DNA sequence: TTGTACGCGTTATCAA
DNA sequence: TTGATAACGCGTACAA
């Protein structure tokens, strides 16, 4: 292997020297945006090969002003829902010639803010926040400030699966119809004849996802002239264990419930487990619905009725909009549709 | 908001001007590695606040020589196994104060090589390859070259879940006992009395994961004085659909098989589906085992006997070793153990 | 304790 | 078609 020197990265200068040209010429050959004679180009490319040269992205970013980098900040890398959105982000970023930075906050809202700051240091062209977030006034205010900070340096805050922060806050928003999906699935259960429907996972009312889904649940009841019975509303977190525990608790009381809506499919899988354990059949004895339509839902026993979210499309659109916001004044707020996927876990209530 | 100028990122110079000091002093305050008078520090920090200044990570990397960045290259962001390894990588990187770059190659080995090159441009301190890879001579040779290229510029190739490339190739390797796990689970089935065991997912013999697992399967047979019947070995890919199709095909022939090993849990879930559809009970009529111990395995019907891989530990160790390779001459090859997790999908064969 | 001058690797500008 | 020079934003050696 000719010409490779150990211990230090070759630079344009080294290539220039090896090719007997100036650094400028090397740069031009590599960029291909300037006329260079064929013979010179050949010599330069040869030197690049010999020295095993690659460009220094940091140096290029420093002078060029852009890093061609997109950051995405996500609760976790695991978990079927977020991973699919993340996959959409990564694919679109790659398709647009960008590199992806990824960070996880494990549900810690303050950590999320820290990470945005970190991504601002990294000069990310866009900072995509995946999934729902807090909606307390303080948090929204800090978020608004951060959005403006990013704006000032030519970057862009992107909310993916979360409602806008405020009317005058510069941010790209790609959300899905969280409330509408919850309305639709609840409405479906009500149409089947259910009147005692439990809702599991209603804690954290200041969390955007939680509140939107619960609102849809409530509105569907209202549309049928009903009000939600608070004793049928259980709290908990977004995991399977929570769905299991909350269902167990509900079963100890005589609630008369004939259907359960889990705030996510994962929660619903815990609901199913608890019901099976109690010897109840789904959907004969009790109906169960989830939310998210993660791949696993089709494999549950029985296959779960749920609300479909366009996971990947969410991520892709987020990046696409953010990177092309200067083009023909695109609308920077997109609301993607959701729809109910009817499987085997729901049926009319038993005659009592 | 005082002092924020629109449209351009503030620099140390701006902060210095605002605080009435030199750029050097600002740098020192921010780095905190040099004595600065309390009053000066205060003025500087105040200016930083006012201007909403953050450091430029690219510029710092250019002079400092290090990006504090770790890249990980993975087949997909979705898929339970890789995501967990990725999570380990991300967590350890964060714990070590690094930022993560992520790219996916969707199983395309050439694309993987391109991405490594891209990460070399990005000056990543370590480039972690997650999951198995090709093992053709050409690919190995290109891989070895790349490892040396990375080495030359102070970066490091890390193989996570893949065997070493060669003895003289500079790379950090963290693998798990793929062959041993396959041996153990096959041995378990043989010990239960099974003699006609199918292996599903044996295509791509040049893929490291595939071949290691099939080797373990073969060796277990040999240890019992048996040879593998080729008619019980089916090919296919790593997905559920493949497991389903291959099983269907096996069932059309009278193979006499009493047990099936899927090359992954996902494949095994397809196997289960095909068996159920054929009216066969698991494990009464036929036993099924998988590989990977992804979370879903415990929820399959019946819960799947499988081989556990220390997913997250794999990712964490990979990053830890790579970043500390200068410390006290650490061994840069780690082999983590696997073990069989016995659940409900395996039992002794029926008396015939 | 603080400041000046230079260099990191690249590209843009200007001149030849 | 090619080259010299300056500049990007920061850290560091050296000087004060």
């Amino acid at each position: 292997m000719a010409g490779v020197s150990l211990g230090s990265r070759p630079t344009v200068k080294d290539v220039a020297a090896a090719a007997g040209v100036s650094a400028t010429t090397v740069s031009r050959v590599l960029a291909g945006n300037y006329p260079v004679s064929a013979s010179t180009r050949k010599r330069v490319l040869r030197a690049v090969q010999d020295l095993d040269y690659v460009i220094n992205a940091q140096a290029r970013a420093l002078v060029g002003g852009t890093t061609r980098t997109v950051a995405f900040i996500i609760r976790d890398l695991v978990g079927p829902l977020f991973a699919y959105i993340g996959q959409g982000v990564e694919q679109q970023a790659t398709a647009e010639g960008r590199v992806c930075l990824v960070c996880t906050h494990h549900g810690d809202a303050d950590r999320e803010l820290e990470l945005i700051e970190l991504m601002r240091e990294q000069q990310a062209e866009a900072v995509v926040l995946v999934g729902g977030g807090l909606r307390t006034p303080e948090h929204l205010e800090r978020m608004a400030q951060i959005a403006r900070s990013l704006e000032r340096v030519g970057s862009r805050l992107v909310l993916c699966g979360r409602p806008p922060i405020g009317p005058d806050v510069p941010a790209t928003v790609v959300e899905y119809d969280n409330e509408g999906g919850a309305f639709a699935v609840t409405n479906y259960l009500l149409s089947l004849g259910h009147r005692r429907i439990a809702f599991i996972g209603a804690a954290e009312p200041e969390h955007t996802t939680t509140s939107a889904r619960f609102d849809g649940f409530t509105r569907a009841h209202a549309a049928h002239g009903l009000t939600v019975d608070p004793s049928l509303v259980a709290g908990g977190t977004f995991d399977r264990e929570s769905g299991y525990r909350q269902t167990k608790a509900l079963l100890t009381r005589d609630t008369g419930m004939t259907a359960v809506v889990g705030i996510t499919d994962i929660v619903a899988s815990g609901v199913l487990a608890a019901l099976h354990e109690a010897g109840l059949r789904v959907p004969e004895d009790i109906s169960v619905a989830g939310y998210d339509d993660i791949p696993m839902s089709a494999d549950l026993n029985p296959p779960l009725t749920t609300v479909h979210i366009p996971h990947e499309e969410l991520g892709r659109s987020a990046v696409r909009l953010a990177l092309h916001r200067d083009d023909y004044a695109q609308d920077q707020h997109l609301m993607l549709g959701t729809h109910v996927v009817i499987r085997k876990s729901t049926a009319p209530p038993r005659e009592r």
Side-chain angles (χ1 to χ4, degrees), chain A:
Chain A
M1 220 176 284
V4 291
S5 67
L6 265 86
S8 85
R9 171 187 306 271
T11 72
V12 271
K13 271 187 189 162
D14 300 320
V15 175
V21 297
S22 74
T24 307
T25 302
V26 174
S27 173
R28 295 207 257 249
V29 169
L30 264 34
N33 53 4
Y34 220 81
V36 175
S37 82
S39 67
T40 304
R41 145 167 290 117
K42 207 168 177 177
R43 287 212 316 285
V44 169
L45 291 178
R46 176 63 196 268
V48 165
Q49 286 265 333
D50 286 350
L51 296 179
D52 194 28
Y53 169 83
V54 283
I55 205 163
N56 182 324
Q58 328 294 321
R60 184 210 283 261
L62 188 57
V63 52
T66 174
T67 57
R68 301 193 75 72
T69 283
V70 169
F72 75 96
I73 299 177
I74 194 167
R75 188 187 190 106
D76 284 292
L77 244 34
V78 296
L81 177 61
F82 293 147
Y84 274 89
I85 299 179
Q87 169 145 292
V89 169
E90 195 273 340
Q91 282 183 7
Q92 187 66 28
T94 300
E96 306 246 13
R98 305 311 205 273
V99 166
C100 263
L101 285 164
V102 63
C103 304
T104 64
H105 58 73
H106 305 294
D108 179 343
D110 289 331
R111 175 72 182 148
E112 187 180 57
L113 295 175
E114 283 176 33
L115 290 173
I116 302 177
E117 205 64 4
L118 188 60
M119 293 305 107
R120 194 153 68 101
E121 294 181 5
Q122 294 289 333
Q123 324 263 89
E125 290 183 56
V127 179
V128 183
L129 267 37
V130 174
L134 236 47
R135 228 177 157 63
T136 60
E138 309 82 50
H139 196 262
L140 282 176
E141 182 46 42
R142 290 184 63 190
M143 206 63 118
Q145 275 183 14
I146 284 175
R148 283 187 275 262
S149 297
L150 287 171
E151 177 82 353
R152 234 173 273 127
V153 300
S155 180
R156 183 74 174 182
L157 182 67
V158 184
L159 272 30
C160 186
R162 181 183 313 197
I165 297 166
D168 54 343
V169 178
T172 299
V173 180
V174 178
E175 44 176 344
Y176 56 93
D177 192 3
N178 229 330
E179 198 268 357
F183 175 88
V185 72
T186 309
N187 184 57
Y188 171 65
L189 288 169
L190 290 165
S191 304
L192 287 176
H194 292 277
R195 285 301 174 267
R196 302 282 298 162
I197 308 176
F199 186 91
I200 295 191
E204 295 193 67
E206 68 281 1
H207 191 277
T208 58
T209 303
T210 309
S211 62
R213 292 181 185 184
F214 186 65
D215 287 351
F217 180 78
T218 306
R219 184 162 67 86
H221 279 78
H224 283 254
L226 303 168
T227 52
V228 172
D229 179 351
S231 74
L232 287 174
V233 177
T237 47
F238 286 164
D239 52 70
R240 183 193 153 105
E241 188 55 27
S242 167
Y244 177 85
R245 273 202 320 274
Q246 300 290 342
T247 306
K248 280 282 198 192
L250 279 173
L251 290 174
T252 60
R253 309 203 310 266
D254 185 24
T255 57
M257 67 181 177
T258 64
V260 181
V261 174
I263 194 158
T264 68
D265 288 348
I266 300 281
V267 168
S269 77
V271 172
L272 287 177
L275 294 175
H276 287 156
E277 211 174 288
L280 292 164
R281 293 166 306 164
V282 177
E284 294 82 356
D285 298 325
I286 196 160
S287 287
V288 176
Y291 207 118
D292 287 345
D293 193 25
I294 62 176
M296 183 194 77
S297 308
D299 294 325
L300 287 174
N301 179 23
L304 190 68
T305 293
T306 185
V307 178
H308 180 77
I309 298 174
H311 320 92
E312 277 197 36
E313 183 54 26
L314 218 50
R316 302 189 79 107
S317 300
V319 173
R320 189 166 33 76
L321 255 63
L323 292 183
H324 298 290
R325 63 187 185 280
D326 296 331
D327 307 359
Y328 43 90
Q330 285 205 16
D331 184 7
Q332 288 285 306
H333 184 185
L334 207 60
M335 169 77 85
L336 301 180
T338 52
H339 62 264
V340 178
V341 178
I342 299 174
R343 298 207 179 93
K344 303 289 186 191
S345 65
T346 46
R350 243 188 343 193
E351 302 300 324
R352 307 200 61 158

